[in-house]
């Protein structure tokens, strides 16, 4: 529990929320400013900042609840679902309690994805090597 965190306050009931699901370790509720109606936020009950510091255990629970939420949206009329998580300010994170957006989508609803552009082979290969080394080191250290 982080006393300055608005999602912790939602968990304690100090801030009201429109709950759609709850279990021992996760909580799901409607986003106050939905992209489409039914936009769900799924959060762990134990405070973490984002994907960079959540425990593997809480992450597994969060994933399971996200899957349920996505299936419930499809069962109630959504035609597709985006699962999005913004991590740190440059990526658009505003609330610093781990949360995944489960966004119902409809054909022609007008929301578009970001567009990628091609990069040089050298740039791609240099980043590939850097990341591969880092991931190997992390795997060895785990
Ligand atoms: P972020 O940009 O951090 O990924 O998204 C934070 C999300 O939390 C936003 O989509 C915003 O609408 C939602 N949000 C912020 N404050 C509240 C609140 O008090 N109640 C609910 N239900 N959603 C909130
Ligand atoms: Zn919190």
């Amino acid at each position: 529990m982080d006393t300055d965190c608005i999602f912790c306050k939602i968990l304690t009931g100090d801030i009201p929320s429109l709950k759609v699901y709850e279990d021992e370790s996760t909580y799901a509720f409607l986003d106050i400013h939905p992209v489409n109606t039914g936009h769900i936020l799924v959060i762990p009950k134990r405070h973490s900042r984002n994907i960079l510091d959540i425990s593997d255990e809480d992450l597994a629970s969060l994933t399971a609840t996200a899957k349920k939420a996505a299936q419930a949206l499809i069962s109630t009329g959504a035609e597709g679902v985006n699962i999005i998580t913004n991590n740190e300010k440059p990526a658009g994170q505003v609330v610093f309690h781990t949360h995944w957006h489960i966004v119902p989508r409809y054909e022609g609803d007008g929301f578009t994805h970001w567009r990628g552009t091609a990069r040089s082979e050298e740039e791609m290969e240099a980043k590939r090597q850097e990341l591969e080394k880092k991931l190997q080191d992390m795997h060895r250290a785990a």
Side-chain angles (χ1 to χ4, degrees):
M1 166 84 191
D2 175 338
T3 46
D4 293 330
C5 170
I6 59 169
F7 287 176
C8 281
K9 287 183 181 146
I10 281 178
L11 288 168
T12 57
D14 291 328
I15 295 178
S17 64
L18 296 174
K19 175 176 94 171
V20 295
Y21 179 76
E22 172 173 25
D23 58 27
E24 317 77 62
S25 49
T26 66
Y27 187 83
F29 57 107
L30 295 183
D31 193 295
I32 206 166
H33 291 138
V35 171
N36 279 322
T37 305
H39 178 164
I40 295 170
L41 296 176
V42 178
I43 66 175
K45 287 190 170 173
R46 197 183 351 234
H47 180 91
S48 56
R49 179 179 172 88
N50 57 35
I51 191 78
L52 301 170
D53 78 333
I54 191 171
S55 68
D56 287 352
E57 188 191 348
D58 282 352
L59 183 60
S61 307
L62 198 67
T63 306
T65 299
K67 179 178 173 182
K68 287 193 184 88
Q71 289 172 328
L73 285 170
I74 296 289
S75 298
T76 55
E79 295 168 353
V81 176
N82 288 121
I83 297 181
I84 302 159
T85 174
N86 302 321
N87 298 280
E88 300 300 331
K89 194 161 162 281
Q93 186 172 11
V94 173
V95 176
F96 291 89
H97 179 127
T98 305
H99 58 280
W100 288 6
H101 298 258
I102 320 295
V103 181
R105 296 298 305 274
Y106 301 89
E107 209 63 63
D109 65 13
F111 297 107
T112 56
H113 294 188
W114 58 75
R115 287 198 198 291
T117 54
R119 301 296 150 95
S120 72
E121 255 179 58
E122 298 74 46
E123 187 180 345
M124 295 281 276
E125 179 56 18
K127 184 51 80 176
R128 187 197 71 73
Q129 284 182 22
E130 189 185 11
L131 289 171
E132 186 179 43
K133 182 176 181 320
K134 174 55 71 181
L135 285 161
Q136 276 170 355
D137 291 349
M138 288 163 67
H139 181 65
R140 280 193 206 101

